[in-house]
Amino acid sequence: MESEQHESGGQPPSPRPPIAVAPLRAWWIVLAGLLVAALFILTDHMLRATASLAGTLLLAAAFRLVLTPEQAGGVASRSKVVDVAVLVTLGVLVLISGFSLDLTAR
């Protein structure tokens, strides 16, 4: 059995280790909620879009809170506390802004 020689005459470089990327898993459910909110926006149903977008953000926070990082997949990007705090804050701000503004179509 011949050993492969590298250009410099030494052993060939060892192969790269696989990149550790968590599967997206729960992220697909969050993506579906964001797509529903986008469809409501495109059809000028702003209150429904507000509720679905805020609900999706709060659902993502709940996923991050109760699921393991492997199960949460793409929803888990930082520490659990930071992820949940950011998602809850965004969800509440979307609710407050969406229901306090006049979003009726004119």
Side-chain angles (χ1 to χ4, degrees):
M1 182 160 110
E2 294 181 19
S3 65
E4 295 181 23
Q5 295 290 324
H6 192 264
E7 292 175 1
S8 63
Q11 292 294 326
S14 60
R16 288 187 183 189
I19 298 173
V21 176
L24 296 178
R25 294 190 180 154
W27 187 83
W28 291 109
I29 297 171
V30 173
L31 179 64
L34 294 175
L35 289 175
V36 167
L39 288 174
F40 283 136
I41 290 170
L42 290 174
T43 58
D44 285 333
H45 292 97
M46 297 311 286
L47 291 176
R48 291 178 184 166
T50 297
S52 61
L53 179 59
T56 300
L57 289 168
L58 295 173
L59 178 66
F63 281 161
R64 182 62 177 113
L65 187 63
V66 299
L67 297 176
T68 65
E70 293 79 27
Q71 292 171 325
V75 179
S77 62
R78 293 165 213 85
S79 71
K80 186 178 281 196
V81 173
V82 172
D83 284 342
V84 171
V86 168
L87 289 168
V88 167
T89 301
L90 288 173
V92 169
L93 288 175
V94 167
L95 278 175
I96 291 170
S97 64
F99 288 117
S100 64
L101 299 174
D102 181 19
L103 299 175
T104 56
R106 296 183 195 272

XYZ file of all heavy atoms in Angstrom:
778
model
N 0.846 -1.163 0.000
C 0.000 0.000 0.000
C 0.894 1.229 0.000
O 1.749 1.388 0.840
C -0.889 -0.041 1.244
C -1.839 1.085 1.314
S -3.150 0.649 2.430
C -2.828 1.696 3.782
N 0.677 2.096 -0.952
C 1.507 3.280 -1.058
C 0.959 4.384 -0.170
O -0.240 4.586 -0.077
C 1.515 3.773 -2.505
C 2.172 2.822 -3.471
C 2.145 3.404 -4.869
O 1.969 4.618 -5.012
O 2.286 2.627 -5.808
N 1.837 5.096 0.482
C 1.388 6.254 1.258
C 1.469 7.475 0.358
O 2.417 7.660 -0.394
C 2.251 6.442 2.507
O 3.566 6.749 2.120
N 0.432 8.304 0.443
C 0.388 9.498 -0.390
C 1.378 10.520 0.148
O 1.499 10.717 1.346
C -1.024 10.088 -0.392
C -2.034 9.192 -1.039
C -3.415 9.837 -1.040
O -3.493 11.067 -0.945
O -4.385 9.099 -1.120
N 2.068 11.149 -0.730
C 3.018 12.180 -0.344
C 2.439 13.548 -0.672
O 1.860 13.751 -1.740
C 4.334 11.993 -1.108
C 5.071 10.719 -0.771
C 5.636 10.778 0.635
O 6.069 11.818 1.082
N 5.615 9.663 1.322
N 2.561 14.469 0.255
C 2.139 15.842 0.033
C 3.175 16.519 -0.841
O 4.302 16.050 -0.977
C 1.970 16.559 1.386
C 1.277 17.868 1.266
N 1.951 19.040 1.178
C -0.041 18.187 1.207
C 1.099 20.039 1.083
N -0.125 19.544 1.100
N 2.842 17.654 -1.450
C 3.766 18.347 -2.337
C 5.101 18.646 -1.663
O 6.145 18.639 -2.281
C 3.135 19.655 -2.830
C 1.966 19.436 -3.750
C 1.300 20.745 -4.129
O 1.756 21.823 -3.699
O 0.311 20.694 -4.859
N 5.071 18.920 -0.355
C 6.317 19.249 0.339
C 7.066 17.992 0.756
O 8.101 18.076 1.393
C 6.019 20.117 1.557
O 5.212 19.397 2.472
N 6.557 16.830 0.419
C 7.241 15.587 0.721
C 6.785 14.928 2.006
O 7.166 13.827 2.309
N 5.936 15.587 2.812
C 5.451 15.025 4.069
C 4.145 14.282 3.877
O 3.724 13.979 2.759
N 3.494 13.982 4.959
C 2.194 13.313 4.927
C 1.125 14.290 4.436
O 1.250 15.501 4.595
C 1.827 12.827 6.333
C 2.714 11.709 6.832
C 2.526 10.442 6.003
O 1.443 10.150 5.524
N 3.608 9.696 5.826
N 0.075 13.759 3.830
C -1.004 14.656 3.381
C -1.676 15.291 4.592
O -1.679 14.718 5.689
C -1.954 13.716 2.640
C -1.674 12.374 3.189
C -0.217 12.373 3.558
N -2.227 16.484 4.418
C -2.891 17.133 5.552
C -4.113 16.320 5.978
O -4.764 15.672 5.163
C -3.300 18.495 5.004
C -3.318 18.343 3.527
C -2.313 17.276 3.201
N -4.381 16.351 7.262
C -5.550 15.608 7.747
C -6.818 16.314 7.272
O -6.845 17.528 7.112
C -5.527 15.544 9.271
O -5.553 16.842 9.817
N -7.865 15.551 7.015
C -9.096 16.164 6.526
C -9.688 17.089 7.587
O -9.492 16.908 8.784
C -10.010 14.972 6.238
C -9.463 13.863 7.062
C -7.990 14.121 7.196
N -10.418 18.079 7.112
C -11.062 19.013 8.030
C -12.118 18.300 8.848
O -12.835 17.445 8.327
C -11.752 20.131 7.261
C -10.830 21.106 6.648
C -11.634 22.236 6.079
N -10.748 23.163 5.404
C -11.131 24.331 4.963
N -12.376 24.705 5.114
N -10.271 25.118 4.371
N -12.250 18.683 10.107
C -13.341 18.100 10.883
C -14.671 18.658 10.386
O -14.719 19.773 9.855
C -13.045 18.556 12.316
C -12.194 19.764 12.157
C -11.428 19.579 10.891
N -15.746 17.915 10.535
C -17.041 18.410 10.071
C -17.456 19.646 10.881
O -17.150 19.766 12.064
C -17.995 17.243 10.305
C -17.323 16.397 11.320
C -15.846 16.595 11.146
N -18.117 20.549 10.207
C -18.605 21.757 10.877
C -19.791 21.370 11.748
O -20.712 20.688 11.294
C -19.012 22.818 9.850
C -17.791 23.222 9.019
C -19.616 24.033 10.533
C -18.117 24.143 7.876
N -19.761 21.810 12.987
C -20.843 21.477 13.920
C -21.982 22.480 13.741
O -21.971 23.560 14.306
C -20.331 21.503 15.352
N -22.942 22.131 12.932
C -24.106 22.974 12.693
C -25.324 22.220 13.193
O -25.592 21.107 12.752
C -24.265 23.302 11.197
C -25.527 24.100 10.956
C -23.047 24.032 10.684
N -26.034 22.830 14.125
C -27.241 22.188 14.642
C -28.328 22.207 13.577
O -28.476 23.190 12.859
C -27.725 22.920 15.890
N -29.076 21.136 13.444
C -30.182 21.154 12.501
C -31.188 22.238 12.897
O -31.279 22.623 14.054
C -30.796 19.766 12.616
C -29.980 18.992 13.575
C -28.939 19.888 14.143
N -31.917 22.727 11.927
C -32.794 23.864 12.188
C -34.016 23.505 13.033
O -34.494 24.321 13.785
C -33.211 24.497 10.866
C -32.049 25.094 10.078
C -32.555 25.648 8.763
C -31.336 26.151 10.860
N -34.554 22.334 12.888
C -35.670 21.788 13.655
C -36.757 22.803 13.983
O -37.573 23.118 13.138
C -35.148 21.096 14.911
C -34.344 19.877 14.559
C -34.016 19.046 15.737
N -33.235 17.908 15.282
C -32.402 17.265 16.031
N -32.240 17.599 17.279
N -31.736 16.248 15.542
N -36.810 23.328 15.210
C -37.914 24.214 15.638
C -37.945 25.502 14.827
O -38.983 26.165 14.745
C -37.800 24.537 17.129
N -36.836 25.834 14.202
C -36.780 27.045 13.401
C -37.776 26.999 12.251
O -38.302 28.031 11.840
C -35.362 27.221 12.873
C -35.135 28.514 12.178
C -34.846 29.719 12.743
C -35.185 28.740 10.771
N -34.696 30.664 11.778
C -34.902 30.092 10.549
C -35.426 27.917 9.682
C -34.867 30.652 9.283
C -35.394 28.478 8.418
C -35.116 29.827 8.227
N -38.055 25.820 11.730
C -39.010 25.703 10.618
C -40.411 26.127 11.049
O -41.154 26.712 10.250
C -39.020 24.285 10.065
C -37.756 23.939 9.351
C -36.790 23.073 9.768
C -37.285 24.481 8.117
N -35.753 23.033 8.872
C -36.031 23.889 7.848
C -37.793 25.403 7.218
C -35.297 24.197 6.707
C -37.053 25.703 6.082
C -35.839 25.101 5.843
N -40.786 25.827 12.281
C -42.098 26.254 12.776
C -42.128 27.770 12.903
O -43.115 28.420 12.548
C -42.415 25.560 14.116
C -42.488 24.045 13.904
C -43.701 26.090 14.723
C -42.570 23.240 15.169
N -41.044 28.345 13.393
C -40.950 29.798 13.504
C -40.997 30.427 12.111
O -41.689 31.434 11.899
C -39.667 30.197 14.266
C -39.464 31.693 14.254
C -39.712 29.667 15.689
N -40.304 29.843 11.158
C -40.335 30.356 9.787
C -41.756 30.323 9.223
O -42.182 31.273 8.554
C -39.394 29.557 8.888
C -39.367 29.981 7.419
C -38.835 31.397 7.275
C -38.548 29.019 6.602
N -42.492 29.263 9.488
C -43.877 29.178 9.014
C -44.716 30.307 9.605
O -45.530 30.930 8.905
C -44.469 27.820 9.376
N -44.536 30.604 10.890
C -45.256 31.713 11.510
C -44.887 33.052 10.907
O -45.749 33.924 10.698
N -43.614 33.240 10.594
C -43.184 34.490 9.962
C -43.760 34.621 8.550
O -44.123 35.723 8.125
C -41.664 34.567 9.932
C -40.979 34.680 11.287
C -39.464 34.626 11.118
C -41.397 35.941 12.006
N -43.865 33.509 7.842
C -44.470 33.545 6.506
C -45.959 33.876 6.577
O -46.474 34.608 5.733
C -44.243 32.219 5.785
C -42.801 31.956 5.351
C -42.679 30.554 4.754
C -42.323 33.002 4.377
N -46.646 33.357 7.579
C -48.062 33.695 7.765
C -48.203 35.193 8.034
O -49.066 35.867 7.457
C -48.682 32.856 8.911
C -50.036 33.392 9.326
C -48.791 31.404 8.495
N -47.342 35.733 8.896
C -47.377 37.172 9.179
C -47.098 37.970 7.908
O -47.759 38.995 7.653
C -46.360 37.514 10.270
N -46.156 37.520 7.091
C -45.844 38.216 5.840
C -47.041 38.186 4.882
O -47.325 39.180 4.199
C -44.624 37.600 5.188
N -47.751 37.072 4.834
C -48.938 36.998 3.975
C -50.025 37.956 4.449
O -50.697 38.586 3.630
C -49.474 35.563 3.935
C -48.632 34.576 3.139
C -49.183 33.159 3.286
C -48.592 34.973 1.675
N -50.185 38.083 5.765
C -51.156 39.048 6.284
C -50.747 40.475 5.934
O -51.586 41.314 5.614
C -51.328 38.905 7.798
C -52.186 37.736 8.208
C -51.798 36.925 9.251
C -53.376 37.455 7.564
C -52.580 35.859 9.648
C -54.174 36.392 7.944
C -53.772 35.587 8.990
N -49.465 40.758 5.973
C -48.992 42.098 5.606
C -49.260 42.358 4.128
O -49.734 43.444 3.752
C -47.494 42.249 5.918
C -47.272 42.283 7.432
C -46.916 43.510 5.272
C -45.822 42.196 7.848
N -48.990 41.385 3.281
C -49.211 41.559 1.844
C -50.684 41.753 1.496
O -51.002 42.365 0.475
C -48.653 40.358 1.087
C -47.126 40.252 1.070
C -46.690 38.951 0.413
C -46.515 41.443 0.351
N -51.569 41.222 2.327
C -53.005 41.368 2.062
C -53.637 42.470 2.901
O -54.862 42.553 2.994
C -53.735 40.038 2.309
O -53.505 39.626 3.659
C -53.246 38.970 1.350
N -52.809 43.338 3.497
C -53.258 44.504 4.282
C -54.120 44.143 5.492
O -55.021 44.881 5.855
C -54.013 45.511 3.401
C -53.073 46.288 2.509
O -51.898 46.446 2.897
O -53.508 46.745 1.441
N -53.851 43.022 6.110
C -54.495 42.660 7.375
C -53.480 42.917 8.489
O -52.869 41.986 9.023
C -54.930 41.196 7.375
C -56.042 40.917 6.428
N -55.823 40.423 5.171
C -57.378 41.076 6.547
C -56.981 40.282 4.553
N -57.938 40.667 5.363
N -53.303 44.189 8.833
C -52.208 44.574 9.711
C -52.391 44.090 11.146
O -51.412 43.732 11.806
C -52.007 46.088 9.671
C -51.610 46.579 8.286
S -50.263 45.661 7.534
C -48.898 46.249 8.454
N -53.618 44.086 11.659
C -53.808 43.604 13.028
C -53.537 42.103 13.121
O -52.936 41.628 14.089
C -55.206 43.939 13.533
C -55.443 45.435 13.764
C -56.889 45.684 14.184
C -54.487 45.987 14.786
N -53.955 41.368 12.112
C -53.657 39.930 12.090
C -52.154 39.698 11.939
O -51.600 38.779 12.545
C -54.408 39.247 10.951
C -55.890 39.202 11.171
C -56.599 38.579 10.007
N -58.034 38.628 10.199
C -58.901 38.416 9.265
N -58.491 38.119 8.043
N -60.189 38.485 9.522
N -51.511 40.523 11.117
C -50.061 40.409 10.954
C -49.349 40.707 12.262
O -48.395 40.020 12.634
C -49.587 41.365 9.860
N -49.826 41.727 12.977
C -49.231 42.067 14.270
C -49.358 40.910 15.246
O -48.386 40.526 15.901
C -49.922 43.317 14.856
O -49.698 44.418 13.981
C -49.405 43.642 16.232
N -50.561 40.360 15.333
C -50.790 39.260 16.273
C -49.973 38.022 15.889
O -49.378 37.370 16.764
C -52.276 38.924 16.322
N -49.917 37.706 14.599
C -49.179 36.505 14.199
C -47.672 36.703 14.336
O -46.964 35.775 14.741
C -49.559 36.076 12.787
O -49.250 37.077 11.857
N -47.162 37.894 14.047
C -45.735 38.145 14.206
C -45.343 38.117 15.681
O -44.362 37.475 16.060
C -45.349 39.483 13.578
C -43.893 39.885 13.690
C -42.991 38.843 13.049
C -43.671 41.244 13.048
N -46.113 38.792 16.516
C -45.822 38.784 17.952
C -45.969 37.371 18.526
O -45.147 36.930 19.332
C -46.739 39.751 18.684
N -46.994 36.663 18.104
C -47.181 35.292 18.560
C -46.038 34.383 18.144
O -45.592 33.524 18.918
N -45.548 34.580 16.940
C -44.414 33.783 16.464
C -43.163 34.072 17.281
O -42.419 33.151 17.650
C -44.160 34.060 14.973
O -45.330 33.701 14.234
C -42.974 33.272 14.457
N -42.908 35.343 17.583
C -41.743 35.693 18.397
C -41.856 35.110 19.802
O -40.882 34.593 20.360
C -41.579 37.211 18.456
C -41.124 37.863 17.154
C -41.277 39.375 17.235
C -39.695 37.489 16.836
N -43.049 35.175 20.381
C -43.244 34.613 21.717
C -43.173 33.083 21.695
O -42.672 32.469 22.642
C -44.567 35.102 22.305
C -44.617 36.615 22.568
C -46.017 37.046 22.988
C -43.590 37.029 23.603
N -43.644 32.473 20.616
C -43.519 31.021 20.469
C -42.041 30.621 20.359
O -41.622 29.630 20.960
C -44.285 30.540 19.237
C -44.203 29.053 18.931
C -44.891 28.245 20.025
C -44.817 28.755 17.580
N -41.277 31.403 19.613
C -39.838 31.127 19.511
C -39.172 31.245 20.877
O -38.294 30.439 21.218
C -39.192 32.087 18.514
N -39.593 32.228 21.673
C -39.043 32.364 23.028
C -39.412 31.153 23.878
O -38.579 30.643 24.642
C -39.558 33.641 23.677
N -40.643 30.670 23.739
C -41.061 29.485 24.498
C -40.273 28.254 24.061
O -39.857 27.450 24.900
C -42.556 29.257 24.315
N -40.063 28.106 22.748
C -39.243 26.997 22.258
C -37.854 27.051 22.866
O -37.320 26.051 23.330
C -39.108 27.040 20.739
C -40.287 26.507 19.983
C -40.465 26.834 18.646
C -41.219 25.681 20.576
C -41.526 26.355 17.927
C -42.295 25.190 19.864
C -42.453 25.528 18.542
N -37.264 28.240 22.850
C -35.891 28.380 23.363
C -35.832 28.109 24.854
O -34.847 27.591 25.364
C -35.374 29.788 23.053
C -33.960 30.019 23.500
C -33.008 29.085 22.772
N -31.635 29.347 23.137
C -30.871 28.505 23.821
N -31.334 27.336 24.196
N -29.631 28.808 24.113
N -36.912 28.441 25.562
C -36.942 28.254 27.014
C -37.064 26.787 27.398
O -36.401 26.330 28.330
C -38.092 29.061 27.616
C -38.180 29.130 29.128
C -36.947 29.819 29.696
C -39.431 29.856 29.546
N -37.891 26.021 26.684
C -38.192 24.657 27.124
C -37.437 23.565 26.367
O -37.295 22.464 26.880
C -39.708 24.360 27.075
C -40.470 25.299 27.980
C -40.244 24.441 25.660
N -36.957 23.856 25.164
C -36.278 22.826 24.385
C -34.772 22.857 24.633
O -34.208 23.896 24.960
C -36.540 23.028 22.891
C -37.986 22.907 22.425
C -38.091 23.217 20.944
C -38.539 21.528 22.720
N -34.147 21.715 24.445
C -32.684 21.666 24.515
C -32.126 22.376 23.280
O -32.832 22.522 22.273
C -32.185 20.212 24.535
O -32.514 19.604 23.291
C -32.792 19.436 25.685
N -30.869 22.812 23.325
C -30.299 23.471 22.135
C -30.350 22.595 20.885
O -30.547 23.101 19.782
C -28.856 23.760 22.542
C -28.898 23.881 24.027
C -29.948 22.890 24.470
N -30.207 21.281 21.039
C -30.293 20.390 19.877
C -31.707 20.371 19.304
O -31.901 20.309 18.095
C -29.869 18.968 20.259
C -28.405 18.844 20.611
C -28.101 19.317 22.033
O -28.991 19.268 22.894
O -26.960 19.744 22.263
N -32.717 20.401 20.172
C -34.105 20.397 19.712
C -34.518 21.764 19.183
O -35.302 21.858 18.251
C -35.046 19.995 20.848
C -34.902 18.569 21.291
C -35.700 18.283 22.548
O -35.823 19.136 23.426
N -36.229 17.082 22.635
N -34.013 22.832 19.788
C -34.374 24.186 19.351
C -33.751 24.517 18.007
O -34.304 25.296 17.236
C -33.940 25.206 20.397
N -32.617 23.910 17.713
C -31.991 24.109 16.409
C -31.618 25.553 16.164
O -30.902 26.169 16.945
N -32.111 26.129 15.072
C -31.754 27.482 14.678
C -32.266 28.563 15.599
O -31.825 29.703 15.516
N -33.222 28.250 16.468
C -33.729 29.247 17.418
C -32.672 29.544 18.475
O -32.609 30.647 19.006
C -35.045 28.756 18.076
C -35.567 29.750 19.084
C -36.097 28.497 17.008
N -31.827 28.577 18.762
C -30.774 28.749 19.775
C -29.531 29.324 19.111
O -28.861 28.642 18.349
C -30.452 27.414 20.424
N -29.255 30.598 19.395
C -28.069 31.198 18.784
C -27.106 31.772 19.810
O -25.923 31.868 19.549
C -28.473 32.286 17.792
O -29.167 33.309 18.455
N -27.604 32.172 20.959
C -26.757 32.704 22.024
C -27.055 31.910 23.278
O -27.511 30.792 23.205
C -27.071 34.187 22.240
C -26.685 35.068 21.058
C -27.340 36.428 21.194
N -27.663 36.964 19.887
C -28.766 36.699 19.204
N -29.678 35.908 19.698
N -28.970 37.218 18.024
N -26.835 32.522 24.433
C -27.208 31.836 25.671
C -28.734 31.840 25.789
O -29.424 32.675 25.194
C -26.578 32.528 26.883
O -27.192 33.772 27.118
N -29.251 30.913 26.557
C -30.701 30.782 26.691
C -31.331 32.066 27.224
O -32.361 32.527 26.723
C -31.044 29.601 27.607
C -32.525 29.318 27.681
C -32.827 28.126 28.550
C -32.558 26.868 27.776
N -33.149 25.664 28.380
N -30.703 32.680 28.218
C -31.255 33.903 28.829
C -31.328 35.029 27.802
O -32.346 35.720 27.689
C -30.407 34.318 30.052
C -30.837 35.656 30.585
C -30.471 33.255 31.129
N -30.267 35.209 27.032
C -30.245 36.285 26.040
C -31.273 36.026 24.946
O -32.025 36.931 24.554
C -28.826 36.433 25.443
C -28.824 37.405 24.276
C -27.850 36.881 26.504
N -31.335 34.801 24.442
C -32.307 34.477 23.397
C -33.731 34.740 23.857
O -34.517 35.380 23.153
C -32.170 33.015 22.973
C -30.968 32.769 22.094
O -30.430 33.736 21.533
O -30.561 31.594 21.975
N -34.087 34.248 25.032
C -35.455 34.405 25.531
C -35.751 35.882 25.782
O -36.822 36.385 25.410
C -35.680 33.558 26.806
C -37.011 33.885 27.453
C -35.612 32.081 26.458
N -34.817 36.610 26.377
C -35.043 38.034 26.669
C -35.250 38.835 25.386
O -36.172 39.666 25.302
C -33.869 38.594 27.466
N -34.439 38.579 24.378
C -34.566 39.314 23.113
C -35.882 38.972 22.422
O -36.604 39.866 21.959
C -33.364 39.017 22.192
C -33.603 39.511 20.780
C -32.099 39.634 22.760
N -36.229 37.708 22.360
C -37.461 37.307 21.664
C -38.707 37.809 22.387
O -39.659 38.270 21.737
C -37.492 35.790 21.499
C -36.496 35.230 20.486
C -36.394 33.720 20.612
C -36.877 35.631 19.082
N -38.724 37.746 23.711
C -39.888 38.254 24.458
C -39.993 39.770 24.299
O -41.081 40.307 24.086
C -39.806 37.843 25.943
C -40.811 38.607 26.779
C -40.033 36.346 26.088
N -38.865 40.463 24.381
C -38.885 41.918 24.216
C -39.405 42.303 22.837
O -40.270 43.185 22.721
C -37.471 42.496 24.430
O -37.021 42.148 25.732
C -37.460 43.999 24.265
N -38.913 41.656 21.795
C -39.396 41.946 20.451
C -40.885 41.628 20.295
O -41.632 42.396 19.685
C -38.577 41.181 19.416
C -37.158 41.669 19.189
C -36.414 40.713 18.256
C -37.143 43.067 18.629
N -41.320 40.499 20.839
C -42.726 40.133 20.749
C -43.636 41.138 21.434
O -44.662 41.542 20.891
N -43.241 41.572 22.627
C -44.055 42.556 23.364
C -44.040 43.901 22.641
O -45.081 44.569 22.535
C -43.557 42.672 24.821
C -44.183 43.857 25.523
C -43.848 41.380 25.576
N -42.896 44.320 22.126
C -42.831 45.594 21.407
C -43.668 45.571 20.134
O -44.315 46.570 19.788
C -41.379 45.941 21.076
C -40.519 46.365 22.258
C -39.070 46.562 21.825
C -41.063 47.625 22.905
N -43.687 44.446 19.443
C -44.540 44.332 18.257
C -46.011 44.432 18.658
O -46.800 45.116 17.995
C -44.247 43.019 17.491
C -45.316 42.725 16.454
C -42.891 43.083 16.838
N -46.389 43.768 19.745
C -47.781 43.862 20.210
C -48.158 45.294 20.585
O -49.213 45.797 20.183
C -48.002 42.950 21.420
C -48.255 41.485 21.133
C -48.336 40.700 22.438
C -49.521 41.305 20.335
N -47.298 45.938 21.352
C -47.592 47.310 21.790
C -47.687 48.247 20.593
O -48.648 49.027 20.470
C -46.525 47.799 22.788
C -46.648 47.043 24.103
C -46.641 49.301 23.020
C -45.503 47.289 25.065
N -46.717 48.178 19.695
C -46.746 49.101 18.541
C -47.881 48.763 17.599
O -48.523 49.680 17.064
C -45.407 49.071 17.810
O -45.175 47.796 17.265
N -48.144 47.499 17.388
C -49.193 47.125 16.443
C -50.589 47.467 16.915
O -51.437 47.847 16.109
N -50.840 47.353 18.208
C -52.179 47.637 18.704
C -52.346 49.080 19.155
O -53.468 49.506 19.432
C -52.556 46.666 19.823
C -52.822 45.278 19.310
C -52.044 44.220 19.700
C -53.851 45.037 18.415
C -52.279 42.934 19.226
C -54.108 43.776 17.932
C -53.315 42.720 18.327
N -51.281 49.863 19.236
C -51.427 51.264 19.618
C -51.463 52.185 18.411
O -51.915 53.328 18.517
C -50.290 51.683 20.556
O -49.056 51.600 19.895
N -51.024 51.725 17.259
C -51.041 52.542 16.046
C -52.323 52.299 15.266
O -52.944 51.243 15.343
C -49.838 52.196 15.156
C -48.470 52.435 15.772
C -47.397 51.904 14.835
C -48.254 53.908 16.037
N -52.712 53.294 14.486
C -53.859 53.138 13.613
C -53.387 52.457 12.337
O -52.763 53.082 11.486
C -54.479 54.492 13.298
C -55.694 54.388 12.406
O -56.265 53.282 12.319
O -56.076 55.402 11.803
N -53.652 51.164 12.211
C -53.143 50.392 11.085
C -54.240 50.035 10.070
O -54.082 49.109 9.290
C -52.481 49.112 11.590
C -51.279 49.312 12.514
C -50.795 47.977 13.051
C -50.158 50.004 11.769
N -55.328 50.772 10.093
C -56.405 50.475 9.140
C -56.008 50.948 7.748
O -55.364 51.979 7.583
C -57.717 51.152 9.569
O -57.479 52.553 9.704
C -58.222 50.595 10.880
N -56.389 50.172 6.766
C -56.080 50.532 5.370
C -56.921 51.723 4.958
O -58.084 51.856 5.339
C -56.358 49.342 4.456
N -56.334 52.602 4.203
C -57.069 53.807 3.746
C -57.165 53.816 2.255
O -56.420 53.417 1.507
C -56.349 55.054 4.228
C -56.358 55.117 5.728
C -55.703 56.421 6.178
N -55.382 56.339 7.581
C -56.226 56.668 8.548
N -57.421 57.088 8.261
N -55.872 56.575 9.802
